[in-house]
Amino acid sequence: MAAARVPAVLAGLAGASGVAAGAYGAHGSIDEDSRATYETANKYHLLSAPALLGVAALVRNSPRSALQAVPAALLSTGTALFCGPLYHAALTGDRKMARVAPLGGVTMMAGWVACCLL
């Protein structure tokens, strides 16, 4: 797969899995105490898809550079590190992994800043 397609593939996967997680949140058995945490995870999960799609467009229209992979890598890693622990906490009640979420948030912010490099 061409490196320029990777952000588009990540965008598609983030969008599809975000919609699936949202559907589960709307129709699954999530208690009211955990609903806000789940919805926060799902909101940022879904926001990552258009962000990655935007990165895909920037990569496609910019000169080749070793830095092209950085925004997509940071955005997708940040999304996993932020949303994953929040989903886990909402579904299991175990908040230990939620300590990782701030690292994921900072990683997502770095991904947005890295878009300036393209």
Side-chain angles (χ1 to χ4, degrees):
M1 176 183 329
R5 290 215 9 95
V6 171
V9 170
L10 290 172
L13 293 172
S17 60
V19 169
Y24 181 80
H27 304 290
S29 58
I30 297 172
D31 62 41
E32 286 304 313
D33 294 338
S34 300
R35 185 159 304 280
T37 301
Y38 193 91
E39 288 174 354
T40 298
N42 192 240
K43 176 174 55 176
Y44 283 93
H45 186 169
L46 285 170
L47 285 171
S48 70
L52 287 163
L53 202 54
V55 168
L58 287 171
V59 166
R60 183 175 213 147
N61 295 318
S62 67
R64 292 212 178 266
S65 164
L67 299 176
Q68 284 183 330
V70 173
L74 289 171
L75 285 168
S76 56
T77 301
T79 298
L81 289 174
F82 181 77
C83 300
L86 293 182
Y87 282 135
H88 176 77
L91 294 171
T92 67
D94 178 12
R95 302 202 55 85
K96 290 178 193 160
M97 284 183 55
R99 295 181 206 154
V100 176
L103 175 62
V106 170
T107 305
M108 278 194 286
M109 287 184 258
W112 282 102
V113 172
C115 289
C116 299
L117 302 174
L118 298 178

